């Protein structure tokens, strides 16, 4: 069974540019989560989809971040325009029950 | 405010000994608790989940939960060098509409000395 897949694995962009991260969850998992880890800090929750609906987006830092989940399958997280403080590792996770499985993450560097 | 606290370490344990990792949480309504292992540059890997007070054993791993004291621990028996990693404690709180996202601690860096 394929795990959670994220791409790109790395992205380096300039401040002010736009970046879109993609996550493909484990097939059949209704729950999809986005998390972020900035250097020296703990992994922080961003938002939670149940199928195609946003269940909880209380962790989204500001309106420069937009997440979508098309047809309850893959999800994208767009940052527009990117700022320096957006640098970090963005993880996606999926679950069917309470146990969540993580992707490899996308390391985003904004310069 | 949800908060999960762990000693960041490093925690150094000789090979073959028992490694003991601890975690406390502040939200009394928390109901589900998880331990993830993360190797450097890799994704968090779920190794244990525990939902009720007491001990839960899986191979060399034992998770312990005490809701009254708001702490959860992970014991690793017969520690191996391959157990060297960062161990993340995570807590989930149900909102009634399903499982909320996880709140993580900063992690404990474990080093198993050969």
């Amino acid at each position: 069974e394929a795990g959670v897949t994220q791409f790109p694995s790395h992205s380096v962009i300039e401040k002010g540019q736009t970046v879109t991260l993609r996550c493909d969850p484990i097939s059949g998992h209704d729950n999809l989560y986005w998390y972020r880890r900035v250097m020296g800090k703990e992994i922080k929750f961003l938002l939670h989809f149940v199928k195609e609906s946003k269940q909880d987006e209380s962790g989204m830092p500001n309106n420069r971040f937009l997440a979508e989940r098309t047809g309850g399958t893959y999800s994208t997280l767009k940052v527009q325009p990117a700022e320096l403080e957006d640098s970090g590792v963005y993880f996606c996770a999926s679950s069917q029950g309470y146990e969540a499985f993580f992707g490899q993450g996308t390391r985003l560097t904004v310069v | 405010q949800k908060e999960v606290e762990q000693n960041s370490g490093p925690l150094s344990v000789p090979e073959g000994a028992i490694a003991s990792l601890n975690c406390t949480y502040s939200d009394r309504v928390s109901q589900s608790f998880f331990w993830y292992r993360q190797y450097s540059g890799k994704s968090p890997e779920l190794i244990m989940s525990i939902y009720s007070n007491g001990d839960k054993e899986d191979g060399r791993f034992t998770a312990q939960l005490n809701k009254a004291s708001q702490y959860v621990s992970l014991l690793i028996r017969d520690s191996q060098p391959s157990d060297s990693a960062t161990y993340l404690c995570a807590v989930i709180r149900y909102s009634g509409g399903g499982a909320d996202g996880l709140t993580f601690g900063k992690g404990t860096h474990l080093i198993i000395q050969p």
Side-chain angles (χ1 to χ4, degrees):
Chain A
E1 177 182 295
V4 178
T5 305
Q6 293 185 247
F7 56 92
S9 56
H10 295 85
S11 181
V12 180
I13 62 171
E14 293 183 350
K15 176 182 173 181
Q17 289 186 322
T18 297
V19 63
T20 300
L21 314 180
R22 173 167 170 150
C23 169
D24 287 77
I26 293 171
S27 178
H29 281 192
D30 289 338
N31 296 296
L32 187 150
Y33 308 85
W34 284 97
Y35 294 87
R36 176 175 74 173
R37 186 169 202 166
V38 298
M39 188 168 298
K41 302 287 188 180
E42 65 272 25
I43 297 173
K44 288 278 197 183
F45 167 80
L46 296 179
L47 89 159
H48 171 203
F49 284 100
V50 178
K51 297 184 179 179
E52 67 275 9
S53 300
K54 291 177 184 175
Q55 176 73 18
D56 180 1
E57 53 184 328
S58 62
M60 295 287 264
N62 51 60
N63 59 11
R64 295 185 294 104
F65 289 75
L66 175 64
E68 295 179 326
R69 189 176 183 191
T70 305
T73 56
Y74 71 91
S75 175
T76 58
L77 179 65
K78 180 189 288 188
V79 185
Q80 178 182 30
E83 298 289 346
L84 298 178
E85 64 264 25
D86 300 333
S87 296
V89 181
Y90 290 75
F91 290 105
C92 175
S94 72
S95 74
Q96 189 52 27
Y98 305 131
E99 296 181 348
F101 300 90
F102 281 72
Q104 290 288 94
T106 294
R107 181 174 295 279
L108 174 65
T109 303
V110 183
V111 297
Chain B
Q1 179 68 30
K2 290 184 279 191
E3 187 176 74
V4 177
E5 301 214 30
Q6 298 179 256
N7 188 323
S8 61
L11 174 64
S12 186
V13 173
E15 183 176 356
I18 296 175
S20 178
L21 304 163
N22 300 312
C23 169
T24 59
Y25 60 94
S26 60
D27 190 344
R28 283 196 168 273
V29 302
S30 297
Q31 298 188 26
S32 300
F33 307 86
F34 306 88
W35 284 99
Y36 285 83
R37 177 175 63 197
Q38 188 175 26
Y39 295 111
S40 181
K42 302 295 185 182
S43 61
E45 175 192 5
L46 180 65
I47 55 172
M48 288 289 285
S49 59
I50 187 164
Y51 305 103
S52 56
N53 282 327
D55 294 1
K56 179 182 177 182
E57 186 174 318
D58 184 0
R60 295 187 296 112
F61 299 99
T62 298
Q64 300 174 316
L65 174 61
N66 184 324
K67 290 186 179 181
S69 301
Q70 294 178 244
Y71 87 81
V72 56
S73 63
L74 179 70
L75 302 178
I76 307 175
R77 289 182 299 281
D78 187 22
S79 297
Q80 302 297 310
S82 59
D83 294 327
S84 298
T86 296
Y87 288 80
L88 303 169
C89 175
V91 171
I92 190 169
R93 177 177 179 274
Y94 302 133
S95 65
D100 274 345
L102 295 166
T103 300
F104 282 90
K106 284 190 174 182
T108 298
H109 183 43
L110 176 65
I111 298 172
I112 305 301
Q113 294 182 325

